[in-house]
Amino acid sequence: MNVLLLGGGGREHALAWAIAKSPALTKLWCAPGNAGIAAVAECVDFDILDPETVVSVCRDMGIDLLVIGPEAPLEAGVSDAVRAAGIVVFGPSRAAAMLETSKTFTKQICDACGAPTAKYAAFDYAENAKAYIREQGAPIVIKADGLAAGKGVVVAQREEEALNAVDDIFDGPGGGAVVIEEMMTGEEASFFVLTDGKTVIPLAGAQDHKRAYDGDTGPNTGGMGAYSPAPAFTSELQAKATEDIVKPILAEMRKRGTPYSGVLYVGLMLTEYGPKLVEINARFGDPECQCILPRLRTDLLPVLSACANGDISGLALDWSEKSCLTVVMAAKGYPGSYEKNTVIGHLDRAENAEGVTVFHAGTSVKNTVVIATGGRVLGITALAADIGQARTQAYNAASMIEWDEGFYRSDIGWRAL
Ligand code: AMP
Ligand code: GLY
């Protein structure tokens, strides 16, 4: 099978690493890829957000399967155009990806199917939103509608903070609309399921650390580390989330003529009343993907292919009992501004450490040295008998890397230990 993977983050390195091991693979390309992906795939550069370009690249290369890593190509209509051209695609349609791209849409789906989620109201005008906040009081959660790369959410402890957040959203570049929610309390878990639109196969649970600094402090990021399985997300909670949240939402999408196919990322709050939906993403999480795929013993490529071809009913997945933990190394200053093109040394030492895989995110190679080109740069991942051991091994490997301009949290996995 000739496979083209879109994306160039740590999630895509994990996907490429798993796909490259498959006996069913003829050749793997990745656009744009990164220095780590280049070791297992041929990296090519073209506009992955332009549907026509992606279609013609797939035709020229004789691609049998297109795998879409991030959400932006979904929103740009790439999956629809490629599917319409008769090429098999792993990734939902733009209409189904609205579960990620529009928070109001997801709330309406939850209302229609009864999936438990925070009580909410949506507003197109700042004054109406503010009146609602004054009526409800704090704590309260303010969200920009639409994609905001994790930066569009304010969990406001005080009313004034909530009112300011509304101003920021309406004055900001996205303009437009706001969703206001009741604040839920509990532990968060990320639950990943595979679906062809009908059959649902639970993949795994994970927990990530969204804040930049130790003790879950500092600004929100795309994720500074993750581990799987998540002890708080028990098999009972997984079964309950599947029945109460995942299946009703997928049935509602089917009923509306926009069935969802691909990986569904279900962000949950484990409240005292059971799991409630926080958000949905139309893709794998990053860095959750990096600590889930190493636990999968089944060959990933036929699984992606079956899903993209619309029938996963015959699949059975084999998971390792081991635990996996990923520590993200980011450029100092991330998620704000940071220096680029700094040199990373001794990656090979970390890569050779026991049970460790180093997934690259923002890296490239210049004159045979690896340089950092992005905010999140590496995901040091260890697979071991339990979370504690995985954490020790991952941090041991991280300490071998010489990169003065980088930093990482020292407490990934604290909730599980
Ligand atoms: P979202 O982009 O909707 O996933 O929100 C980002 C983060 O904000 C979540 O991971 C939660 O930590 C927090 N959050 C979002 N909605 C709520 C809510 N209703 N109650 C409490 N925390 C929330
Ligand atoms: N780690 C959170 C995300 O992928 O959105």
Side-chain angles (χ1 to χ4, degrees), residues 142-145 151-154 164-179:
I142 316 299
K143 302 184 176 188
D145 201 9
K151 288 167 196 133
V153 177
V154 173
N164 290 339
V166 169
D167 282 332
D168 287 347
I169 289 168
F170 282 91
D171 296 344
V178 68
V179 174

Side-chain angles (χ1 to χ4, degrees), residues 11 71 100 149-150 190 192 208-210 221-226 265 279 281 283-289 376:
R11 164 184 53 215
E71 64 280 16
E100 168 159 8
S190 313
F192 296 87
D208 77 344
H209 295 262
K210 291 196 168 92
T221 71
M224 293 300 292
Y265 169 142
E279 62 162 342
N281 292 313
R283 51 173 175 82
F284 260 119
D286 185 337
E288 291 97 324
C289 184
R376 290 191 294 172

Side-chain angles (χ1 to χ4, degrees), residues 209-294:
H209 295 262
K210 291 196 168 92
R211 302 300 194 96
Y213 313 130
D214 282 6
D216 292 327
T217 58
N220 257 326
T221 71
M224 293 300 292
Y227 49 95
S228 174
F233 189 53
T234 59
S235 52
E236 291 75 26
L237 288 176
Q238 177 170 311
K240 193 163 169 51
T242 304
E243 292 308 316
D244 295 355
I245 298 175
V246 177
K247 287 186 177 172
I249 288 176
L250 293 174
E252 182 64 27
M253 293 300 285
R254 227 169 29 240
K255 199 171 104 189
R256 294 182 180 213
T258 51
Y260 185 98
S261 132
V263 166
L264 191 73
Y265 169 142
V266 188
L268 299 170
M269 189 72 79
L270 308 178
T271 75
E272 59 179 313
Y273 310 104
K276 288 191 178 183
L277 184 73
V278 178
E279 62 162 342
I280 288 189
N281 292 313
R283 51 173 175 82
F284 260 119
D286 185 337
E288 291 97 324
C289 184
Q290 293 88 307
C291 64
I292 287 176
L293 291 185

